[in-house]
Amino acid sequence: MGKNIDDYIDRGLKGTPETKPSERREYLSQLRERIILALTNGQVLQPKPFKPIANLMKRHPSSRLYLDGDLDYMHLSKYIRIANENNIPFTIVDDKTSSTNIGLVLANPTAIDKEEIFVNQEEFKRSL
């Protein structure tokens, strides 16, 4: 009984323990196993959006878009527009305690364990 009360008090004071906190910081609060696509900050800052993202949203209608709040809204807005057009909810992750070079994550609510989640520069440029 004492252990349960200690756990209850700990959760009340510190919140629910988080699995893989370093992975969540890197991938804008998401676990690697749930990610459909991740773009670097540099890719998000490009003037034109990564076109295949709309098709990925259509193929994964229960997905959610996560954007790095450290980036200027001007650069995020093109992806927000694509998410809205495809009825995909989005979250702007504003974590002041850590930084990441990931600017965008499209994630599934459950694990999909996709082997390659990043887009290399060659593929990104071909999509423009």
Side-chain angles (χ1 to χ4, degrees), residues 17-39:
E18 194 175 77
T19 56
K20 302 182 181 181
S22 62
E23 191 174 294
R24 286 180 184 271
R25 280 190 295 276
E26 181 179 356
Y27 294 115
L28 303 176
S29 78
Q30 294 306 294
L31 295 171
R32 164 75 174 76
E33 65 194 22
R34 296 180 180 180
I35 296 176
I36 300 162
L37 172 74
L39 296 179

Side-chain angles (χ1 to χ4, degrees), residues 14-115:
K14 300 175 191 167
T16 305
E18 194 175 77
T19 56
K20 302 182 181 181
S22 62
E23 191 174 294
R24 286 180 184 271
R25 280 190 295 276
E26 181 179 356
Y27 294 115
L28 303 176
S29 78
Q30 294 306 294
L31 295 171
R32 164 75 174 76
E33 65 194 22
R34 296 180 180 180
I35 296 176
I36 300 162
L37 172 74
L39 296 179
T40 65
N41 286 336
Q43 291 170 327
V44 173
L45 295 176
Q46 294 298 311
K48 292 186 178 176
F50 181 64
K51 285 185 185 162
I53 197 167
N55 288 332
L56 289 170
M57 289 176 177
K58 286 179 178 77
R59 288 200 342 244
H60 299 275
S62 62
S63 64
R64 183 177 197 95
L65 185 67
Y66 297 86
L67 300 155
D68 186 355
D70 288 343
L71 300 179
D72 192 290
Y73 184 80
M74 175 184 76
H75 300 292
L76 303 180
S77 62
K78 59 187 171 259
Y79 290 102
I80 292 170
R81 185 172 11 83
I82 293 168
N84 286 334
E85 289 168 0
N86 289 285
N87 297 315
I88 299 296
F90 69 91
T91 299
I92 296 176
V93 179
D94 197 17
D95 184 0
K96 298 294 182 205
T97 61
S98 65
S99 67
T100 178
N101 69 332
I102 307 294
L104 175 152
V105 168
L106 182 64
N108 213 38
T110 57
I112 57 169
D113 290 315
K114 189 173 175 193
E115 192 172 318

